[in-house]
Amino acid sequence: SVGDAGSKYRAAIGGYSGDATNGLHWPASSYRHSINNRQFSTPDQDNDGTNKNDCANAFGPAGWWFTPSCGYALLNGQYLTGCSVPSPGTCPSAQGIVWYTWKGYTYSLKKTVMMIRPANFPVSSLGPCQHGGSLTSGPVESGLYICACAAGWYDLFCEEECGQCYGGQNCDPIDGACPTGGGHVCETGYNGTNCHQECSGTYGPDCGTQCGQCFGGLTCDRFDGTCPTGGDHVCAAGYQSANCDQECDDGNYG
């Protein structure tokens, strides 16, 4: 967390995870290299806690939570180019965007991302990605993360269930649309933009076939088109066949 102006934006850190080694607090037993409980320093505000160094002017120059040793990380350093490849680089020591415990002082990182939210930010009782979704890198070089939805789910946080796509195919993980490359889009008995809507008065894939003339104006089965058989009659007067879609043969009626 970061304190207010009265604390000179004092940092309190914890909970590191990753594979670049904790450059903000390493080793854990060393006070000299940790930004924990350190105030923010700038070239005109020396708060690094030592009279031996003026870290903000010596390195960068930049504003940062400098430690008594000036530290192992500086994410607000200069954007230096042409000196980082091949690693370990030939950039001026500790002048670029530095994460010493990963790449050393002479390698300037191409990009870093720091995300801060208010202390009273409402935390959802749910995880960011629902129904088995997982966080994954977003667009190339965007620094963003998106939810990669598990099969059968879509939307920003994988909160919406896919409709009945034809042949059991998965819907689009962003907008839920079913694939359109085949002969049908929706499974038998369904239609609508995302194949969530049940057929009414129609049946089959995409609800593409009109129901026959069921007795009493009843609606046919949305899957196979058959008319209800529980009453005295199945087809309306003048019609026959399992789906009541054929007119009576000559000489027959009713």
Side-chain angles (χ1 to χ4, degrees), residues 60-218:
W64 188 247
W65 293 275
F66 288 104
T67 75
S69 70
C70 293
Y72 284 154
L74 173 58
L75 301 188
N76 286 344
Q78 299 178 58
Y79 183 76
L80 302 178
T81 61
C83 58
S84 294
V85 178
S87 182
T90 58
C91 300
S93 181
Q95 299 299 320
I97 303 172
V98 171
W99 195 272
Y100 171 78
T101 55
W102 181 30
K103 293 289 188 178
Y105 283 131
T106 58
Y107 186 102
S108 185
L109 302 177
K110 183 178 181 180
K111 178 180 65 179
T112 62
V113 177
M114 289 185 287
M115 292 183 286
I116 300 173
R117 67 186 186 188
N120 61 351
F121 185 85
V123 179
S124 171
S125 60
L126 303 173
C129 299
Q130 307 304 304
H131 302 108
S134 58
L135 281 176
T136 186
S137 297
V140 176
E141 297 189 357
S142 68
L144 301 176
Y145 285 81
I146 61 174
C147 289
C149 296
W153 299 91
Y154 73 98
D155 208 6
L156 189 61
F157 300 109
C158 309
E159 296 175 301
E160 299 293 333
E161 189 170 10
C162 289
Q164 301 295 320
C165 299
Y166 189 74
Q169 299 180 86
N170 286 322
C171 71
D172 185 278
I174 304 300
D175 62 13
C178 289
T180 58
H184 299 287
V185 177
C186 300
E187 191 57 270
T188 297
Y190 294 90
N191 66 357
T193 304
N194 290 350
C195 302
H196 281 114
Q197 183 175 326
E198 296 181 355
C199 301
S200 178
T202 55
Y203 69 97
D206 305 321
C207 301
T209 305
Q210 194 73 28
C211 284
Q213 301 296 319
C214 300
F215 185 77
L218 297 175

